[in-house]
Amino acid sequence: MRRLPSLLFLLFLWMAFPAAVSGQQTEATPTPNATNQEESPPPQPGQETVRIRYPLENEILTGSIPIEVEISLPGVNSWELAFSFSENPTETWFLLAQGSQPFSGQLLLWDTSALSDGDYSLRLRAYFSDAARDVRVEPLKIRNYSIDPPSPTASQTPSPTQNLSRTPAASSTATKTEIARLTPSPLPPNPAILEKREISRSALRGAGYSLLAFGVIGLLAWLKNRFTGKR
């Protein structure tokens, strides 16, 4: 009889111990589904677009320019890259490249030195089965043989407040900036220019030669008449 309470106490401990252990394991170890939902964000779809990555609008271009494009829109049957003048009322475009497969990166080197300086437009057109999509970059400033004049800065442009605050005294005492002018250097003497003395000498010499010629002609005529008269 004395062993009966001890046996009942041991039986109670044996039944309570596995339940406590299993409860601790359930709370300490989260389920795999809960862990994945908290740590891994849902996948995002890739970017799908048709665009010109370089050059950008208002870019000043000289020499050979790399043209970078991205064509990853699904359903594109073909595409083409062309350029034209900014003022293009007839919609005349000059083909640079074309293809039918997706592309991303540097497409070609555009030699702008063969074109006259001016403003141009660049167009990437993607063709679908029932439509077309245009992407344009304009204006592009090709400047191989000329330079745009610098735009006036804010310090050079007076504000209305500055104009109103001017007084006659301040304007009358304004300093004057003198611009140094270069003195022209004398030109070397021109050997083709004759002086007055040489002109006079040449005129007298010509008159003397003329009188001498007339005298010789008169002498010859006199001699001819004399000899002819004797005969």
Side-chain angles (χ1 to χ4, degrees):
M1 296 299 293
R2 294 180 179 178
R3 295 180 179 179
L4 183 59
S6 301
L7 293 175
L8 292 175
F9 180 73
L10 293 175
L11 180 62
F12 175 77
L13 291 177
W14 176 78
M15 294 177 64
F17 182 78
V21 174
S22 61
Q24 292 178 358
Q25 291 179 353
T26 303
E27 294 176 359
T29 305
T31 59
N33 293 333
T35 304
N36 294 335
Q37 291 179 359
E38 293 178 359
E39 296 180 358
S40 300
Q44 298 180 357
Q47 295 181 353
E48 299 172 348
T49 183
V50 174
R51 63 174 178 145
I52 299 175
R53 295 193 296 194
Y54 188 83
L56 305 177
E57 62 180 11
N58 291 318
E59 195 89 16
I60 297 178
L61 309 180
T62 57
S64 296
I65 302 300
I67 299 181
E68 298 181 4
V69 301
E70 184 176 354
I71 308 165
S72 59
L73 199 64
V76 176
N77 295 330
S78 62
W79 53 266
E80 63 181 21
L81 180 69
F83 75 95
S84 73
F85 296 99
S86 291
E87 297 181 0
N88 187 16
T90 60
E91 285 294 321
T92 302
W93 293 87
F94 303 94
L95 185 65
L96 289 174
Q98 59 183 355
S100 59
Q101 299 295 329
F103 187 88
S104 178
Q106 180 176 325
L107 182 60
L108 54 88
L109 284 175
W110 186 20
D111 185 11
T112 63
S113 61
L115 304 174
S116 58
D117 287 0
D119 295 346
Y120 290 80
S121 299
L122 200 61
R123 182 189 72 181
L124 179 62
R125 170 172 288 184
Y127 292 97
F128 299 87
S129 58
D130 56 349
R133 178 178 178 182
D134 287 351
V135 176
R136 298 190 184 186
V137 176
E138 56 187 5
L140 296 174
K141 302 178 182 295
I142 294 180
R143 301 291 187 269
N144 288 299
Y145 311 103
S146 62
I147 301 176
D148 288 344
S151 58
T153 59
S155 59
Q156 295 176 352
T157 305
S159 61
T161 306
Q162 293 176 350
N163 291 334
L164 294 175
S165 62
R166 291 183 178 178
T167 60
S171 60
S172 61
T173 57
T175 58
K176 295 182 180 181
T177 303
E178 295 183 357
I179 300 176
R181 297 182 180 180
L182 298 177
T183 303
S185 58
L187 297 176
N190 190 352
I193 298 177
L194 299 177
E195 297 181 356
K196 293 183 178 180
R197 295 180 181 178
E198 294 181 358
I199 294 175
S200 301
R201 292 176 183 177
S202 298
L204 293 175
R205 193 179 297 118
Y209 288 154
S210 299
L211 292 176
L212 181 60
F214 282 120
V216 172
I217 293 173
L219 179 62
L220 292 176
W222 179 77
L223 292 174
K224 182 179 179 181
N225 291 332
R226 185 177 179 182
F227 287 113
T228 304
K230 288 181 177 183
R231 292 178 184 180

